[in-house]
Amino acid sequence: MPLLFALVFNDVSFWWVLPCLALGFGYAFWLYRKKSFDTVWLKRILFALRMLVVSLIAFLLLAPLFKTNISRLAKPVVFIAQDVSSSVSSNAPAGFNQVAYYKNLNALAEALKENYDVRSLSFGSTVYKGFKADNLEKETDIAAVFEEIKNQNPENVGALILLSDGVYTKGANPVQKAENTVFPIYTVALGDTVAKRDLLLQQPNYNHLVYLGNQHEVQISVKASAAKGANSQLQVSTNDGQRKTFPLHFKSNEDQQVVKFTLDAKKKGIQKISLSLKPINQEKSIKNNQLTLYVDVIDGQEQILLLADAPHPDLSALRQAIESNQNYKVQLAFADDVPRDLNKFGLLVLHNLPSAKHPIQSININNKASLWFIVGNQTDISKLNALQSWAKLIPAPTPQSYSTSFNEGFFAFAITDQTKQELSALAPLASPLSAIQNQASAKILLKGKAVNGSTEVPQLLFNDLGAKKEAILNGEGIWRWRMDTYSKNNNFDAFDELISKSVQYLSAKQDKRKFVARADGSRYNENEQVLLTAELYNDSYELVNQPEVKLELKDSKGKRYSYLFSRTDKSYQLTVGPFAPGEYSFTASTKFNNNNYSSSGNFIVEELNVEDLANKADHQLLYHLSKQSGASMLMPQNLTSLADSIKKNQKVKPVSFQQQSYQPLIASGWLFALILILLSLEWFLRKRNGTI
C-alpha cells in the first residue's frame, strides 16, 4: 500500500537532519549550561524545548516538501454526437418520426448520466455543444467530431455514440481519422440507403474568372437516380441575355450525363449563370435541380515575373500559390535568360538574387515594378544591401534556421484567423542572415526566431516606397510550408492565402485615396462570414481611426443592411454574415475634418449545395467506424438499447488516477503554531522559576 504522505527534500540529503539536531543541542547547551533551577527535571524540560525549537527552525531552512498521494476515480466520458446536416432530413426513410427519435435520444443521454459523464454534441460544417433539433447545416464534417474530442482532452474517454447518415462533404475521411482511437465508436445509422427517384446538378467545372471578349466553357454533370426512360432538359440563362437548352434522356436507373457549353464574356463585371433541370414525374426533390454560377469578367491579367538564380522547389510552390488567384499570370525565368521586356511585369519576385554568379545590378529592372527579394544561401548580401536602402541585412557566420510566428501588429492587409492558426507551426526556413535592421516605415508580417538560440529577426517584411513597394522574405524552403498545410488540411488554402495576399499588396497600384474599404475576398459560401476592413488617412497620410465608420450593404433584390465598423489598432474592421446566395454591394462612409468620404465594393455569396448531391445514406462508412473500434452499428429504432450495450462493454469503465502533490513544509501554518506554543511554554516555565 503506497504511503498517503511523506517528506521529501529538493537538493539535500535526509541526513542533514542530524546537523539540525546538533545545532539545536548546542544552542540549548550554551543557553542553559550555567543556569540553576529548582529541579533538574525543569532544566531538562527547558533544555528539550529550546533544542526542539532551534532544530525545527534549522530543519525548515532545508526547504523540505510535504508530499501527499491522492487517489481518485474518473468516470468514463461518453460523447453523443448528432449529425444535423441537411442530408439527414432529405434522406430520411418513409415513416421516420423525428419527434420520437429526439425523445429517445434525450432519454438515452439521461439514462447514461447515472454512471457516465455524458457530453452532447451536434455537428455539420463545425461542431456545436448540445443537441440541435434542426437539420440545416450545409456541410458535414464527421472528422471534426474526433478533433473536438481531442481538444476537450478528457482523462477517460469511454465511448462515442455517432448518429449520422454517413455522408461527409467536408474534412478528412472519418474512417482514417478514427484509426488510432482507443475507445469504442457506436454508430446509429440514419437515413435511407435506397436511392429515390431524383435528378440533380452536380458540382460544375468552370472558370471563376474570364477576360472581357473571350469565350469560356462550362461543364456540368447531371445525375439521375431511379429515372430509367425519363426525359428532361437543361436550361441555361445568363444576366447578359444568353440562352441555351439541352435535351436529356436517361437510359438507366443510375445514369449520369455531362453537358458542355460555351458562353461569351460580353460585359465587364459579374456574369450570373442560371442552370435549371426540368423536373420528372414523382421526383423526390426539385431543390437540387437549380444551380447558380457567378463568373468575374475582367479587362486584363496582372503579369508577374518569378526570376531565380537556379532551379529550386520554392519556385513551383510560389507559382502555384500565386496562380491560385486567376488575376495573376506567372512567368518563370532564370538569371541566365532574363526576359527582354520587363515593362509588362507589375511585380518581380527575385529568388536567391542577387547572387555571386548573377549580380542583378546589371539587369535593367523596371523602376515601376515592385520587388520581392527571397533571401537564401546563394544570395549576395552586400549586393542586395546596395540594391535597396530601407533594410540593412547582416550576414551570419554560418547559415541559420528560423522558426516563424505572425506579428499581431501587422495591418497592411488582413490574414484570416484560420490561416494564422493553420500556419502556426511552420517548418523553419534556412537563411544566411543574423539580423535585419529595417526602417520604421517597414511593416513586419512574420517574425523569425533562431531554432538553436534566442535571436529574433523580421522574417517577412514590406515597405511602401510610394511609386512601388518592396518586400524581403528572410529564408528559403517555403515549399515545405505548402506541403505542411496540405498534410494537415488536405488543401493548400492557408499557404496560398499568405502568398496571394502578399502578392496582391505588392502588385496593387498606389492608392492615394484617404479612405478605403475592402472585403477580404471576392466570393464566399453561404455559411461563411465576410471580413471587411477600412483605412482612413489624415493629410500626412497617417492612419487614424477617431471618427465613426458606417457600412451600408445591399443585396441584388435591393434589401439594405446597416453596420458600424469596430476600431482596431489604427484602422477599422467588421465581420458580417453569413448571407443568402447572391450578389452584394457595399458602401462605407465617414466624416473627418469636415470632409465626407466613401468607398464602395462588392462580393458574391454562392449557394452551398453539396448536401443536396447525396441522395442516399452511406451506412457502410458507419459500419467500418464501429467495426474497427470494436463496437457495433444499430438502427434508430434500437437507440434506447445502447445504454445496456455500453454498460456491458468492459472497455467503458472508471479509471483510477494517482495524483501526487507537493507543498513546502514551511507553508504549513500549524508548524509555526507549534513553534510559538513551544517558545511560549518555555517562557512561562522560566518566568515562573524567576530566571527572566
Side-chain angles (χ1 to χ4, degrees), residues 106-310:
N106 287 306
L108 172 66
E110 289 300 319
L112 291 171
K113 285 180 181 178
E114 183 179 350
N115 299 306
Y116 309 101
D117 178 4
V118 178
R119 303 186 188 182
S120 303
L121 304 172
S122 298
F123 65 94
S125 58
T126 187
V127 179
Y128 309 90
K129 292 183 179 179
F131 292 141
K132 295 175 66 176
D134 53 38
N135 296 95
L136 301 177
E137 289 289 306
K138 296 292 186 178
E139 293 176 297
T140 312
D141 189 354
I142 299 178
V145 174
F146 299 99
E147 283 297 323
E148 176 65 21
I149 294 173
K150 181 181 177 181
N151 292 336
Q152 290 195 23
N153 193 27
E155 292 178 318
N156 179 20
V157 181
L160 166 64
I161 301 173
L162 185 72
L163 307 103
S164 174
D165 60 359
V167 175
Y168 71 95
T169 57
K170 180 183 177 183
N173 186 325
V175 175
Q176 296 176 353
K177 195 73 174 178
E179 280 179 345
N180 298 321
T181 55
V182 295
F183 50 85
I185 303 171
Y186 293 90
T187 57
V188 178
L190 304 178
D192 195 345
T193 57
V194 178
K196 300 177 180 64
R197 186 175 175 86
D198 195 23
L199 301 181
L200 59 91
L201 290 169
Q202 294 188 308
Q203 290 296 337
N205 182 15
Y206 70 106
N207 290 325
H208 292 86
L209 183 147
V210 298
Y211 300 101
L212 187 63
N214 289 351
Q215 287 189 326
H216 62 101
E217 184 178 82
V218 178
Q219 177 178 306
I220 186 76
S221 179
V222 180
K223 184 178 180 181
S225 297
K228 183 178 181 180
N231 295 304
S232 180
Q233 64 179 18
L234 174 65
Q235 298 173 341
V236 181
S237 63
T238 67
N239 59 348
D240 56 13
Q242 299 180 69
R243 300 285 186 272
K244 294 178 183 288
T245 302
F246 302 93
L248 299 169
H249 175 72
F250 304 105
K251 299 178 181 179
S252 61
N253 278 329
E254 295 298 324
D255 198 355
Q256 185 163 326
Q257 298 185 23
V258 176
V259 179
K260 296 181 182 179
F261 56 90
T262 58
L263 295 171
D264 297 318
K266 293 182 176 182
K267 292 193 291 187
K268 181 181 176 181
I270 303 298
Q271 184 182 64
K272 180 180 178 182
I273 307 170
S274 300
L275 306 174
S276 177
L277 278 176
K278 183 180 178 181
I280 59 176
N281 292 333
Q282 299 180 336
E283 186 170 355
K284 181 194 83 169
S285 170
I286 61 171
K287 182 180 178 181
N288 49 22
N289 290 27
Q290 315 291 328
L291 189 61
T292 302
L293 312 179
Y294 297 92
V295 174
D296 292 321
V297 181
I298 63 174
D299 274 340
Q301 197 173 29
E302 185 77 33
Q303 298 287 319
I304 295 172
L305 176 62
L306 184 52
L307 187 61
D309 176 68

Side-chain angles (χ1 to χ4, degrees), residues 309 335-336 353-360 378 380 383:
D309 176 68
D336 289 326
L353 290 173
S355 64
K357 185 178 179 182
H358 301 107
I360 60 173
Q378 302 304 315
D380 189 319
K383 289 184 174 64

Side-chain angles (χ1 to χ4, degrees), residues 1-8 65-70 658-662 665 670:
M1 178 179 176
L3 293 174
L4 296 180
F5 62 89
L7 283 177
V8 295
L65 300 174
F66 190 71
K67 183 180 77 170
T68 57
N69 295 315
I70 302 173
Q658 194 79 14
Q659 185 174 353
Q660 294 181 341
S661 65
Y662 294 86
L665 192 61
W670 63 267

Side-chain angles (χ1 to χ4, degrees), residues 29-53:
F29 177 78
W30 175 82
L31 182 64
Y32 290 111
R33 69 186 189 281
K34 295 181 179 179
K35 295 187 184 295
S36 60
F37 296 90
D38 293 342
T39 64
V40 66
W41 285 108
L42 179 61
K43 184 174 183 178
R44 289 176 179 175
I45 290 172
L46 291 172
F47 182 93
L49 289 173
R50 180 53 61 102
M51 174 183 172
L52 186 59
V53 168

